[in-house]
Amino acid sequence: MQCLSGLASPGRRFGLLRQPTGSSPLMKKHLLSLPLLAALATACNSNTQKTSADKPDLLQAALDTTVAAGDDFFTYANGSWLKSHPIPASESSWGIGKEVQNEIYARLRQTSEEAAAAKATPGSNQQKIGDFWAVGIDSVKADQLGAAPIQPELARIAGMQSVAEVPGVVARLIPLGVDALIGPGIYQDAKNSERMALYLYQSGLGLPNRDFYFNTDERTKNIRREYLRHLAATFRLLGQDEATAQANAQRVMSLETALARSSRKLEALRDPYANYHKKSIAELNQLTPGLDWKPWLTQLELGKVDTVIVGQPEFYQTVGKLLKTAPLADWKAYLSWQLAHTFAPTLSAGFDQEHFRFYSTVLRGAKSQRPRWKRVLDMEESALGDALGQLFVKEYFKPETKARYEKLVKDVSASFAEHIQKLDWMSEPTKKVALVKLQKITPKVGYPSKWRDYSSLTIDRSSLAANVMRANEWKYRYALNKLGKPVDRTEWDMTPQTYNAYYNPSNNEIVLPAAAFAIPGLLDADADDALVYGYAGASTIGHELTHGFDDEGSQFDAQGNLKEWWSKDDRARFKKRVDAIVRQFDAYTVLDSLHINGKATAGENIADLGGIVIAFDAFKKTKQYQEGKKIGGLTPTQRYFLGYALGWQNHQRDESLASRILTDVHSPAQFRVNGPMADVPAFYEAFAVKPGQKLYRADSARVTIW
């Protein structure tokens, strides 16, 4: 039940992120962040799963009744579970998504070990999985190789004789998965969804985003100090003496700060019109005087492109200026750092541990590193996700499970249509168009109808870094191959084993991977409708449907084009409601003086609230709701809301929380439960919420949108 972030990148995937996920589909590496597979109900072996008759009710067992539901519903619903499931030292957070991952990690490990031991046919998926695993798990070999796997690229950088050579080296590094200076990506044109286009987005920072370079609170200032230490330590690992390493660390910090100064803030990236600037190559050259883009694009294998969509023109103006003013020594330091940073987790222990120290301990608070085998499986998922997916769904996602959730999609969609028809703030003409858009949303449930073909990808046992590089190059060219061809609307941007989901406005589709419906330790057959409608219907399906009509998704029409289809008055009335939810979430203090960014998180908060009210009305039509029988001492309505809260059963370390407040368009888990519940009348009735309780909001203060 999670969803890929509603980040306003060219990919425009909106969703309900429960754990950090990977980045854009073209050429970004997913080395450390993709969630892994979760076994679904009917797929689990009965000899390893207890039925509901053998153990306490899942929802009842998680309750912390020392907390009043009307004061803190998140803790009331999940408190006992959170107390009995502390965050492991190797993690920056822990929750239901990590439990799902753990269930499948063991299966993936067995699959990979069997593939490594098999005499697989060369070039087969089994051979690729086996070789990736075998060399990845071999830490002794990684230590013996040291930085050797990236040495040819380091030599290329060191061999530059002038700044004029920088674009060529950048063009070499980007296909390898290195975020070097610029951010090219191939996506559907936001204003013409039938066409694939080249986007240029802001990129190239080693810290999570621009705010980390400029915020003046003590926490962020300390991160900058630690970042300089990390930069210098990485340069020492590359063989530089202390003085050179310190000087190069300052060079990188200076260059990245200049890039950050021209980078947009998180909330500013959510405006699709403000981040869409179509330019010819000649106009692109005018944007960056003295920089000729034609040869650079040719080096990137994009020489036939005649137009580019620039997301943030001011960023590329800065890129152009830096390529004229920054000295060669700065560029050598910056590109060497970006290369080493990208592949550090695949190299020897020194690189790997230093990368972990800064990015996992300093930024996210993890106390010890996750086992190598899990980290290798994450990389394997990124490189060969569809190959693993084919094996997964064949064994673990049965037809009857798929049918249940396809029906749930239909039920929630029908409820959404009823909500639109009953709106008192939307005019009839706009309602008609809204209903057309809803009806045209394509649901993709479980797994794709066709799989990616990895036959041209070489995987061997030379080194883990080499396999990751080749996989990134394969993904780069896979994306390049889309230019000039019809848009493939059957494609998935997530694997079936990903505990996540998303709405893609360019395709007007919701994508619901098989793993998104998994509940750890519970057979699907044993999950009552109340739980499922809350856990899957509200927090995933209803959430994703609502993204098509949130403050950002609503700017795309039924064909997936960025085009206004609302009347001015309807848009104004809608904006008043959006402003109300922005104010509500702005007021929430998360940590120290850190508040939720209401503008940046607006789309997700709208989708959370919409998903809850829409799926609840769908649930009211079920036999369970109408019979009203209690399970585990809980009414059907109570179980519905608790099922929703179950989907956000998660806690995280302060360091991780502080980082995500600055970088994530999703509110923290506690507020994804307490925030929308405070606006839902049925929740008040189900749990007897009264004035004076912390979640209570007067009728006039409650936000109502869908």
Side-chain angles (χ1 to χ4, degrees), residues 404 407-408 411-412 528-534 614-629 636-637 640:
R404 180 179 194 180
K407 180 180 183 301
L408 185 55
D411 291 346
V412 177
D528 59 293
D529 277 344
L531 190 163
V532 168
Y533 272 76
I614 291 162
F616 181 64
D617 279 351
F619 171 60
K620 286 164 68 175
K621 297 180 180 179
T622 65
K623 180 180 179 182
Q624 182 181 3
Y625 175 84
Q626 292 169 0
E627 289 183 345
K629 295 178 181 177
T637 300
Y640 170 82

Side-chain angles (χ1 to χ4, degrees), residues 133-145:
W133 170 262
V135 73
I137 205 68
D138 191 348
S139 60
V140 174
K141 183 167 187 173
D143 288 343
Q144 290 172 343
L145 289 171

Side-chain angles (χ1 to χ4, degrees), residues 150-155 157 173 176 178-180 333-344 347 469:
I150 63 170
Q151 198 57 50
E153 304 308 325
L154 288 169
I157 296 166
L173 294 176
L176 299 181
V178 181
D179 288 328
Y334 171 76
L335 295 175
S336 296
W337 145 248
Q338 285 286 359
L339 175 66
H341 158 67
T342 298
F343 294 103
L347 302 176
M469 284 185 192

Side-chain angles (χ1 to χ4, degrees), residues 482-602:
K482 297 178 182 180
L483 283 170
K485 296 182 179 179
V487 173
D488 181 3
R489 294 183 183 265
T490 68
E491 186 177 22
W492 285 48
D493 284 334
M494 280 182 183
T495 61
Q497 60 270 25
T498 302
Y499 184 71
N500 211 329
Y502 64 89
Y503 169 75
N504 175 5
S506 290
N507 276 351
N508 195 26
E509 66 182 5
I510 57 172
V511 181
L512 311 167
F517 305 116
I519 303 173
L522 184 68
L523 294 170
D524 190 66
D526 290 335
D528 59 293
D529 277 344
L531 190 163
V532 168
Y533 272 76
Y535 183 75
S539 81
T540 301
I541 297 167
H543 177 103
E544 297 308 335
L545 288 171
T546 307
H547 268 311
F549 303 85
D550 69 17
D551 61 324
E552 193 172 356
S554 65
Q555 298 183 71
F556 293 80
D557 65 16
Q559 286 70 45
N561 296 313
L562 186 57
K563 180 181 178 182
E564 183 61 275
W565 51 271
W566 299 55
S567 73
K568 288 185 179 180
D569 288 344
D570 286 325
R571 180 64 71 181
R573 285 189 288 267
F574 177 63
K575 186 177 182 302
K576 282 187 66 175
R577 285 161 172 75
V578 173
D579 289 345
I581 207 166
V582 168
R583 289 193 299 271
Q584 177 184 343
F585 279 81
D586 273 342
Y588 292 136
T589 301
V590 179
L591 183 69
D592 303 332
S593 59
L594 289 175
H595 285 247
I596 293 175
N597 185 333
K599 288 185 178 179
T601 59

Side-chain angles (χ1 to χ4, degrees), residues 346-628:
T346 72
L347 302 176
S348 56
F351 287 97
D352 182 33
Q353 290 168 7
E354 176 56 30
H355 185 277
F356 166 79
R357 184 194 71 79
F358 180 72
Y359 284 98
S360 294
T361 299
V362 174
L363 277 182
R364 299 199 296 274
K367 307 302 181 187
S368 63
Q369 199 164 24
R370 297 164 70 232
R372 184 177 182 88
W373 66 271
K374 286 187 176 181
R375 290 180 278 131
V376 171
L377 285 177
D378 285 349
M379 298 182 204
E380 191 177 306
E381 160 74 7
S382 175
L384 297 162
D386 267 26
L388 292 169
Q390 291 178 65
L391 299 176
F392 172 69
V393 298
K394 184 177 180 180
E395 186 172 358
Y396 297 116
F397 195 62
K398 303 300 183 184
E400 55 267 34
T401 307
K402 190 173 190 295
R404 180 179 194 180
Y405 292 101
E406 287 176 335
K407 180 180 183 301
L408 185 55
V409 170
K410 292 178 181 178
D411 291 346
V412 177
S413 296
S415 176
F416 197 0
E418 292 172 0
H419 275 249
I420 291 173
Q421 290 165 342
K422 294 175 183 177
L423 290 175
D424 60 3
W425 57 265
M426 181 179 279
S427 67
E428 289 303 318
T430 302
K431 283 182 183 180
K432 289 179 181 178
V433 183
L435 289 168
V436 169
K437 179 174 182 179
L438 175 64
Q439 194 239 342
K440 288 189 175 182
I441 290 178
T442 300
K444 295 178 177 178
V445 180
Y447 51 88
S449 57
K450 61 182 180 181
W451 302 95
R452 296 186 181 185
D453 178 3
Y454 296 109
S455 58
S456 61
L457 170 60
T458 298
I459 298 291
D460 58 27
R461 302 194 183 193
S462 57
S463 75
L464 176 59
N467 283 337
V468 171
M469 284 185 192
R470 286 192 292 263
N472 287 341
E473 285 189 280
W474 183 91
K475 286 183 280 188
Y476 181 86
R477 292 188 172 84
Y478 178 86
L480 290 183
N481 192 48
K482 297 178 182 180
L483 283 170
K485 296 182 179 179
V487 173
D488 181 3
R489 294 183 183 265
T490 68
E491 186 177 22
W492 285 48
D493 284 334
M494 280 182 183
T495 61
Q497 60 270 25
T498 302
Y499 184 71
N500 211 329
Y502 64 89
Y503 169 75
N504 175 5
S506 290
N507 276 351
N508 195 26
E509 66 182 5
I510 57 172
V511 181
L512 311 167
F517 305 116
I519 303 173
L522 184 68
L523 294 170
D524 190 66
D526 290 335
D528 59 293
D529 277 344
L531 190 163
V532 168
Y533 272 76
Y535 183 75
S539 81
T540 301
I541 297 167
H543 177 103
E544 297 308 335
L545 288 171
T546 307
H547 268 311
F549 303 85
D550 69 17
D551 61 324
E552 193 172 356
S554 65
Q555 298 183 71
F556 293 80
D557 65 16
Q559 286 70 45
N561 296 313
L562 186 57
K563 180 181 178 182
E564 183 61 275
W565 51 271
W566 299 55
S567 73
K568 288 185 179 180
D569 288 344
D570 286 325
R571 180 64 71 181
R573 285 189 288 267
F574 177 63
K575 186 177 182 302
K576 282 187 66 175
R577 285 161 172 75
V578 173
D579 289 345
I581 207 166
V582 168
R583 289 193 299 271
Q584 177 184 343
F585 279 81
D586 273 342
Y588 292 136
T589 301
V590 179
L591 183 69
D592 303 332
S593 59
L594 289 175
H595 285 247
I596 293 175
N597 185 333
K599 288 185 178 179
T601 59
E604 299 302 326
N605 299 332
I606 292 167
D608 285 341
L609 177 57
I612 291 169
V613 297
I614 291 162
F616 181 64
D617 279 351
F619 171 60
K620 286 164 68 175
K621 297 180 180 179
T622 65
K623 180 180 179 182
Q624 182 181 3
Y625 175 84
Q626 292 169 0
E627 289 183 345

